[in-house]
Each structure stands twice: as C-alpha cells, then as structure tokens.
mmCIF file of all heavy atoms in Angstrom:
data_model
loop_
_atom_site.group_PDB
_atom_site.id
_atom_site.type_symbol
_atom_site.label_atom_id
_atom_site.label_comp_id
_atom_site.label_asym_id
_atom_site.label_seq_id
_atom_site.Cartn_x
_atom_site.Cartn_y
_atom_site.Cartn_z
ATOM 1 N N LYS A 287 22.219 -29.071 -12.246
ATOM 2 C CA LYS A 287 22.354 -27.886 -13.123
ATOM 3 C C LYS A 287 23.174 -26.765 -12.503
ATOM 4 O O LYS A 287 23.273 -26.734 -11.288
ATOM 5 C CB LYS A 287 21.018 -27.435 -13.531
ATOM 6 C CG LYS A 287 20.182 -26.722 -12.381
ATOM 7 C CD LYS A 287 18.824 -26.189 -12.744
ATOM 8 C CE LYS A 287 18.396 -26.093 -14.126
ATOM 9 N NZ LYS A 287 17.103 -25.588 -14.417
ATOM 10 N N HIS A 288 23.653 -25.956 -13.325
ATOM 11 C CA HIS A 288 24.428 -24.778 -12.886
ATOM 12 C C HIS A 288 23.534 -23.808 -12.226
ATOM 13 O O HIS A 288 22.388 -23.535 -12.761
ATOM 14 C CB HIS A 288 25.267 -24.185 -14.117
ATOM 15 C CG HIS A 288 25.984 -22.908 -13.682
ATOM 16 N ND1 HIS A 288 27.133 -22.997 -12.977
ATOM 17 C CD2 HIS A 288 25.681 -21.655 -13.857
ATOM 18 C CE1 HIS A 288 27.593 -21.783 -12.618
ATOM 19 N NE2 HIS A 288 26.750 -20.886 -13.337
ATOM 20 N N ILE A 289 23.941 -23.199 -11.166
ATOM 21 C CA ILE A 289 23.152 -22.149 -10.464
ATOM 22 C C ILE A 289 23.895 -20.824 -10.589
ATOM 23 O O ILE A 289 25.063 -20.747 -10.119
ATOM 24 C CB ILE A 289 22.887 -22.557 -9.065
ATOM 25 C CG1 ILE A 289 21.928 -23.731 -9.017
ATOM 26 C CG2 ILE A 289 22.129 -21.350 -8.354
ATOM 27 C CD1 ILE A 289 21.686 -24.329 -7.657
ATOM 28 N N ASN A 290 23.318 -19.834 -11.067
ATOM 29 C CA ASN A 290 23.949 -18.505 -11.264
ATOM 30 C C ASN A 290 23.703 -17.717 -9.925
ATOM 31 O O ASN A 290 22.637 -17.591 -9.490
ATOM 32 C CB ASN A 290 23.313 -17.658 -12.380
ATOM 33 C CG ASN A 290 23.388 -18.462 -13.638
ATOM 34 O OD1 ASN A 290 24.548 -18.712 -14.142
ATOM 35 N ND2 ASN A 290 22.269 -18.783 -14.316
ATOM 36 N N ILE A 291 24.810 -17.292 -9.348
ATOM 37 C CA ILE A 291 24.785 -16.672 -8.009
ATOM 38 C C ILE A 291 24.710 -15.144 -8.181
ATOM 39 O O ILE A 291 25.567 -14.562 -8.937
ATOM 40 C CB ILE A 291 25.987 -17.065 -7.158
ATOM 41 C CG1 ILE A 291 25.976 -18.626 -7.040
ATOM 42 C CG2 ILE A 291 25.890 -16.383 -5.812
ATOM 43 C CD1 ILE A 291 27.214 -19.207 -6.472
ATOM 44 N N ILE A 292 23.719 -14.530 -7.516
ATOM 45 C CA ILE A 292 23.677 -13.031 -7.582
ATOM 46 C C ILE A 292 23.917 -12.550 -6.133
ATOM 47 O O ILE A 292 23.254 -13.012 -5.261
ATOM 48 C CB ILE A 292 22.312 -12.593 -8.024
ATOM 49 C CG1 ILE A 292 22.015 -13.142 -9.425
ATOM 50 C CG2 ILE A 292 22.138 -11.082 -7.967
ATOM 51 C CD1 ILE A 292 20.618 -12.927 -9.895
ATOM 52 N N ASN A 293 24.859 -11.628 -6.008
ATOM 53 C CA ASN A 293 25.162 -11.075 -4.646
ATOM 54 C C ASN A 293 24.831 -9.634 -4.434
ATOM 55 O O ASN A 293 24.856 -9.152 -3.301
ATOM 56 C CB ASN A 293 26.656 -11.294 -4.281
ATOM 57 C CG ASN A 293 26.902 -12.783 -4.096
ATOM 58 O OD1 ASN A 293 26.179 -13.437 -3.365
ATOM 59 N ND2 ASN A 293 27.980 -13.325 -4.686
ATOM 60 N N THR A 294 24.483 -9.004 -5.505
ATOM 61 C CA THR A 294 24.162 -7.501 -5.345
ATOM 62 C C THR A 294 22.696 -7.146 -5.651
ATOM 63 O O THR A 294 22.093 -7.872 -6.443
ATOM 64 C CB THR A 294 25.037 -6.539 -6.231
ATOM 65 O OG1 THR A 294 24.716 -6.926 -7.595
ATOM 66 C CG2 THR A 294 26.552 -6.852 -5.983
ATOM 67 N N GLU A 295 22.195 -6.191 -5.025
ATOM 68 C CA GLU A 295 20.820 -5.802 -5.228
ATOM 69 C C GLU A 295 20.568 -5.330 -6.577
ATOM 70 O O GLU A 295 19.566 -5.564 -7.239
ATOM 71 C CB GLU A 295 20.363 -4.773 -4.152
ATOM 72 C CG GLU A 295 18.922 -4.604 -4.092
ATOM 73 C CD GLU A 295 18.405 -3.759 -2.921
ATOM 74 O OE1 GLU A 295 18.798 -4.023 -1.806
ATOM 75 O OE2 GLU A 295 17.733 -2.764 -3.229
ATOM 76 N N THR A 296 21.554 -4.634 -7.157
ATOM 77 C CA THR A 296 21.501 -4.056 -8.529
ATOM 78 C C THR A 296 21.232 -5.255 -9.552
ATOM 79 O O THR A 296 20.455 -5.201 -10.426
ATOM 80 C CB THR A 296 22.716 -3.283 -8.854
ATOM 81 O OG1 THR A 296 22.833 -2.278 -7.879
ATOM 82 C CG2 THR A 296 22.594 -2.680 -10.254
ATOM 83 N N ASP A 297 22.112 -6.331 -9.380
ATOM 84 C CA ASP A 297 22.001 -7.519 -10.262
ATOM 85 C C ASP A 297 20.704 -8.221 -10.078
ATOM 86 O O ASP A 297 20.113 -8.583 -11.108
ATOM 87 C CB ASP A 297 23.186 -8.482 -10.031
ATOM 88 C CG ASP A 297 24.504 -7.892 -10.567
ATOM 89 O OD1 ASP A 297 24.566 -6.895 -11.321
ATOM 90 O OD2 ASP A 297 25.524 -8.433 -10.018
ATOM 91 N N PHE A 298 20.187 -8.197 -8.884
ATOM 92 C CA PHE A 298 18.885 -8.886 -8.586
ATOM 93 C C PHE A 298 17.824 -8.046 -9.298
ATOM 94 O O PHE A 298 16.866 -8.662 -9.850
ATOM 95 C CB PHE A 298 18.699 -8.900 -7.069
ATOM 96 C CG PHE A 298 17.437 -9.640 -6.655
ATOM 97 C CD1 PHE A 298 17.315 -10.988 -7.053
ATOM 98 C CD2 PHE A 298 16.473 -9.011 -5.984
ATOM 99 C CE1 PHE A 298 16.100 -11.724 -6.717
ATOM 100 C CE2 PHE A 298 15.301 -9.604 -5.579
ATOM 101 C CZ PHE A 298 15.121 -11.000 -5.955
ATOM 102 N N LEU A 299 17.821 -6.673 -9.181
ATOM 103 C CA LEU A 299 16.825 -5.897 -9.856
ATOM 104 C C LEU A 299 16.866 -6.071 -11.411
ATOM 105 O O LEU A 299 15.845 -6.155 -11.997
ATOM 106 C CB LEU A 299 17.079 -4.388 -9.471
ATOM 107 C CG LEU A 299 16.476 -4.023 -8.135
ATOM 108 C CD1 LEU A 299 16.928 -2.605 -7.751
ATOM 109 C CD2 LEU A 299 14.943 -4.125 -8.126
ATOM 110 N N ASN A 300 18.101 -6.148 -11.881
ATOM 111 C CA ASN A 300 18.201 -6.400 -13.306
ATOM 112 C C ASN A 300 17.609 -7.744 -13.759
ATOM 113 O O ASN A 300 16.994 -7.822 -14.812
ATOM 114 C CB ASN A 300 19.672 -6.327 -13.752
ATOM 115 C CG ASN A 300 20.258 -4.897 -13.683
ATOM 116 O OD1 ASN A 300 19.527 -3.920 -13.704
ATOM 117 N ND2 ASN A 300 21.580 -4.846 -13.588
ATOM 118 N N LEU A 301 17.767 -8.716 -12.881
ATOM 119 C CA LEU A 301 17.164 -10.000 -13.202
ATOM 120 C C LEU A 301 15.637 -9.948 -13.110
ATOM 121 O O LEU A 301 15.030 -10.430 -14.048
ATOM 122 C CB LEU A 301 17.685 -11.027 -12.128
ATOM 123 C CG LEU A 301 17.142 -12.441 -12.227
ATOM 124 C CD1 LEU A 301 17.861 -13.159 -13.433
ATOM 125 C CD2 LEU A 301 17.402 -13.213 -11.003
ATOM 126 N N LEU A 302 15.084 -9.221 -12.199
ATOM 127 C CA LEU A 302 13.665 -9.087 -12.005
ATOM 128 C C LEU A 302 13.063 -8.321 -13.175
ATOM 129 O O LEU A 302 11.929 -8.547 -13.604
ATOM 130 C CB LEU A 302 13.259 -8.452 -10.707
ATOM 131 C CG LEU A 302 13.541 -9.296 -9.506
ATOM 132 C CD1 LEU A 302 13.185 -8.556 -8.224
ATOM 133 C CD2 LEU A 302 12.859 -10.630 -9.556
ATOM 134 N N ASN A 303 13.812 -7.384 -13.732
ATOM 135 C CA ASN A 303 13.362 -6.611 -14.785
ATOM 136 C C ASN A 303 13.536 -7.126 -16.158
ATOM 137 O O ASN A 303 13.221 -6.590 -17.235
ATOM 138 C CB ASN A 303 13.992 -5.132 -14.754
ATOM 139 C CG ASN A 303 13.475 -4.410 -13.556
ATOM 140 O OD1 ASN A 303 12.433 -4.483 -13.128
ATOM 141 N ND2 ASN A 303 14.453 -3.550 -13.015
ATOM 142 N N SER A 304 14.061 -8.395 -16.209
ATOM 143 C CA SER A 304 14.221 -9.132 -17.454
ATOM 144 C C SER A 304 12.957 -9.289 -18.165
ATOM 145 O O SER A 304 11.945 -9.481 -17.570
ATOM 146 C CB SER A 304 14.924 -10.422 -17.139
ATOM 147 O OG SER A 304 15.006 -11.216 -18.288
ATOM 148 N N GLU A 305 13.026 -9.297 -19.514
ATOM 149 C CA GLU A 305 11.876 -9.497 -20.355
ATOM 150 C C GLU A 305 11.332 -10.964 -20.347
ATOM 151 O O GLU A 305 10.203 -11.258 -20.419
ATOM 152 C CB GLU A 305 12.171 -9.034 -21.775
ATOM 153 C CG GLU A 305 12.627 -7.747 -21.961
ATOM 154 C CD GLU A 305 11.812 -6.896 -22.818
ATOM 155 O OE1 GLU A 305 11.044 -7.489 -23.652
ATOM 156 O OE2 GLU A 305 11.916 -5.667 -22.822
ATOM 157 N N LYS A 306 12.319 -11.891 -20.099
ATOM 158 C CA LYS A 306 11.843 -13.281 -20.012
ATOM 159 C C LYS A 306 11.631 -13.736 -18.608
ATOM 160 O O LYS A 306 12.100 -13.075 -17.692
ATOM 161 C CB LYS A 306 12.900 -14.211 -20.697
ATOM 162 C CG LYS A 306 14.296 -14.131 -20.038
ATOM 163 C CD LYS A 306 15.276 -15.035 -20.804
ATOM 164 C CE LYS A 306 16.615 -14.950 -19.996
ATOM 165 N NZ LYS A 306 17.565 -15.881 -20.551
ATOM 166 N N GLN A 307 10.927 -14.725 -18.422
ATOM 167 C CA GLN A 307 10.620 -15.257 -17.076
ATOM 168 C C GLN A 307 11.936 -15.892 -16.549
ATOM 169 O O GLN A 307 12.588 -16.721 -17.141
ATOM 170 C CB GLN A 307 9.526 -16.309 -17.073
ATOM 171 C CG GLN A 307 9.058 -16.678 -15.741
ATOM 172 C CD GLN A 307 7.835 -17.553 -15.731
ATOM 173 O OE1 GLN A 307 7.471 -18.118 -16.761
ATOM 174 N NE2 GLN A 307 7.274 -17.673 -14.582
ATOM 175 N N VAL A 308 12.297 -15.517 -15.316
ATOM 176 C CA VAL A 308 13.465 -16.026 -14.647
ATOM 177 C C VAL A 308 13.049 -16.658 -13.249
ATOM 178 O O VAL A 308 12.008 -16.206 -12.732
ATOM 179 C CB VAL A 308 14.524 -14.927 -14.441
ATOM 180 C CG1 VAL A 308 15.049 -14.426 -15.729
ATOM 181 C CG2 VAL A 308 13.944 -13.741 -13.691
ATOM 182 N N TYR A 309 13.822 -17.509 -12.774
ATOM 183 C CA TYR A 309 13.594 -18.214 -11.474
ATOM 184 C C TYR A 309 14.748 -17.973 -10.625
ATOM 185 O O TYR A 309 15.955 -18.054 -11.019
ATOM 186 C CB TYR A 309 13.343 -19.689 -11.696
ATOM 187 C CG TYR A 309 12.080 -19.951 -12.598
ATOM 188 C CD1 TYR A 309 12.187 -20.062 -14.044
ATOM 189 C CD2 TYR A 309 10.906 -20.052 -12.018
ATOM 190 C CE1 TYR A 309 11.143 -20.338 -14.777
ATOM 191 C CE2 TYR A 309 9.728 -20.320 -12.800
ATOM 192 C CZ TYR A 309 9.958 -20.465 -14.157
ATOM 193 O OH TYR A 309 8.765 -20.642 -14.961
ATOM 194 N N CYS A 310 14.458 -17.800 -9.366
ATOM 195 C CA CYS A 310 15.482 -17.549 -8.372
ATOM 196 C C CYS A 310 15.102 -18.115 -6.987
ATOM 197 O O CYS A 310 13.884 -18.119 -6.705
ATOM 198 C CB CYS A 310 15.751 -16.011 -8.289
ATOM 199 S SG CYS A 310 17.005 -15.504 -7.120
ATOM 200 N N TYR A 311 15.955 -18.614 -6.287
ATOM 201 C CA TYR A 311 15.716 -19.001 -4.894
ATOM 202 C C TYR A 311 16.547 -18.208 -3.897
ATOM 203 O O TYR A 311 17.549 -17.642 -4.308
ATOM 204 C CB TYR A 311 15.956 -20.476 -4.675
ATOM 205 C CG TYR A 311 17.321 -20.985 -4.515
ATOM 206 C CD1 TYR A 311 17.878 -20.968 -3.232
ATOM 207 C CD2 TYR A 311 18.063 -21.466 -5.533
ATOM 208 C CE1 TYR A 311 19.153 -21.496 -3.077
ATOM 209 C CE2 TYR A 311 19.336 -21.874 -5.414
ATOM 210 C CZ TYR A 311 19.864 -21.892 -4.156
ATOM 211 O OH TYR A 311 21.186 -22.400 -3.951
ATOM 212 N N MET A 312 15.942 -17.969 -2.722
ATOM 213 C CA MET A 312 16.750 -17.238 -1.717
ATOM 214 C C MET A 312 16.264 -17.723 -0.285
ATOM 215 O O MET A 312 15.174 -18.264 -0.234
ATOM 216 C CB MET A 312 16.462 -15.784 -1.872
ATOM 217 C CG MET A 312 15.056 -15.299 -1.652
ATOM 218 S SD MET A 312 14.771 -13.561 -1.861
ATOM 219 C CE MET A 312 14.861 -13.393 -3.648
ATOM 220 N N TRP A 313 16.977 -17.367 0.669
ATOM 221 C CA TRP A 313 16.623 -17.672 2.043
ATOM 222 C C TRP A 313 15.433 -16.797 2.350
ATOM 223 O O TRP A 313 15.348 -15.594 1.956
ATOM 224 C CB TRP A 313 17.722 -17.461 3.071
ATOM 225 C CG TRP A 313 18.958 -18.198 2.778
ATOM 226 C CD1 TRP A 313 20.232 -17.741 3.086
ATOM 227 C CD2 TRP A 313 19.217 -19.535 2.252
ATOM 228 N NE1 TRP A 313 21.171 -18.704 2.832
ATOM 229 C CE2 TRP A 313 20.665 -19.698 2.240
ATOM 230 C CE3 TRP A 313 18.397 -20.524 1.738
ATOM 231 C CZ2 TRP A 313 21.163 -20.956 1.763
ATOM 232 C CZ3 TRP A 313 18.962 -21.727 1.306
ATOM 233 C CH2 TRP A 313 20.343 -21.870 1.323
ATOM 234 N N GLU A 314 14.475 -17.217 3.123
ATOM 235 C CA GLU A 314 13.300 -16.411 3.529
ATOM 236 C C GLU A 314 13.721 -15.156 4.221
ATOM 237 O O GLU A 314 13.077 -14.103 4.147
ATOM 238 C CB GLU A 314 12.394 -17.346 4.332
ATOM 239 C CG GLU A 314 11.029 -16.665 4.588
ATOM 240 C CD GLU A 314 10.075 -17.568 5.258
ATOM 241 O OE1 GLU A 314 9.593 -18.491 4.608
ATOM 242 O OE2 GLU A 314 9.895 -17.438 6.523
ATOM 243 N N LYS A 315 14.736 -15.311 5.085
ATOM 244 C CA LYS A 315 15.245 -14.024 5.758
ATOM 245 C C LYS A 315 15.758 -13.010 4.883
ATOM 246 O O LYS A 315 15.667 -11.825 5.127
ATOM 247 C CB LYS A 315 16.321 -14.485 6.840
ATOM 248 C CG LYS A 315 17.608 -14.992 6.311
ATOM 249 C CD LYS A 315 18.564 -15.395 7.441
ATOM 250 C CE LYS A 315 19.797 -15.934 6.894
ATOM 251 N NZ LYS A 315 20.668 -16.370 7.937
ATOM 252 N N ILE A 316 16.434 -13.350 3.735
ATOM 253 C CA ILE A 316 16.764 -12.435 2.754
ATOM 254 C C ILE A 316 15.470 -11.724 2.073
ATOM 255 O O ILE A 316 15.432 -10.590 1.864
ATOM 256 C CB ILE A 316 17.626 -13.070 1.634
ATOM 257 C CG1 ILE A 316 18.858 -13.731 2.229
ATOM 258 C CG2 ILE A 316 17.937 -12.109 0.530
ATOM 259 C CD1 ILE A 316 19.964 -12.828 2.607
ATOM 260 N N TYR A 317 14.499 -12.614 1.781
ATOM 261 C CA TYR A 317 13.225 -12.149 1.181
ATOM 262 C C TYR A 317 12.602 -11.046 2.092
ATOM 263 O O TYR A 317 12.103 -9.998 1.666
ATOM 264 C CB TYR A 317 12.332 -13.191 0.884
ATOM 265 C CG TYR A 317 10.959 -12.837 0.338
ATOM 266 C CD1 TYR A 317 10.832 -12.403 -0.942
ATOM 267 C CD2 TYR A 317 9.921 -12.781 1.213
ATOM 268 C CE1 TYR A 317 9.613 -11.952 -1.471
ATOM 269 C CE2 TYR A 317 8.683 -12.264 0.699
ATOM 270 C CZ TYR A 317 8.558 -11.897 -0.529
ATOM 271 O OH TYR A 317 7.270 -11.514 -1.096
ATOM 272 N N LYS A 318 12.541 -11.377 3.367
ATOM 273 C CA LYS A 318 11.897 -10.492 4.376
ATOM 274 C C LYS A 318 12.566 -9.078 4.434
ATOM 275 O O LYS A 318 11.946 -8.100 4.684
ATOM 276 C CB LYS A 318 11.860 -11.104 5.669
ATOM 277 C CG LYS A 318 10.865 -12.244 5.808
ATOM 278 C CD LYS A 318 10.838 -12.865 7.169
ATOM 279 C CE LYS A 318 9.870 -13.978 7.249
ATOM 280 N NZ LYS A 318 9.840 -14.609 8.624
ATOM 281 N N LYS A 319 13.884 -9.060 4.085
ATOM 282 C CA LYS A 319 14.618 -7.767 4.169
ATOM 283 C C LYS A 319 14.444 -6.968 2.866
ATOM 284 O O LYS A 319 14.941 -5.821 2.792
ATOM 285 C CB LYS A 319 16.063 -8.092 4.397
ATOM 286 C CG LYS A 319 16.359 -8.671 5.856
ATOM 287 C CD LYS A 319 17.775 -8.858 6.059
ATOM 288 C CE LYS A 319 18.068 -9.504 7.406
ATOM 289 N NZ LYS A 319 19.558 -9.883 7.593
#
C-alpha cells in the first residue's frame, strides 16, 4: 500500500487533530523527542 510521508511537525499535528481515525508509524527515537 501507499504510505503518506509526513516530515513537518505542523503536518503531524494536523494529522493527529483529524476528525477520523488515522494511523502512523515512526521510529521510537522520533516518538521520544
């Protein structure tokens, strides 16, 4: 499947604030930061 890449924190926040449920993966070291 296609994976949508997000590189900015603003886009990531917009994704999290979405009304529908979204799924994302990230490296654990990115999550810790």
Side-chain angles (χ1 to χ4, degrees):
K287 69 181 345 182
H288 177 74
I289 297 174
N290 302 301
I291 302 167
I292 300 172
N293 286 317
T294 65
E295 192 171 306
T296 306
D297 291 340
F298 184 61
L299 280 171
N300 290 338
L301 180 72
L302 292 178
N303 292 329
S304 173
E305 302 236 347
K306 61 181 181 174
Q307 187 173 16
V308 293
Y309 298 91
C310 181
Y311 78 89
M312 67 180 74
W313 306 146
E314 193 174 281
K315 65 183 179 182
I316 301 286
Y317 175 79
K318 287 180 179 179
K319 292 179 184 176

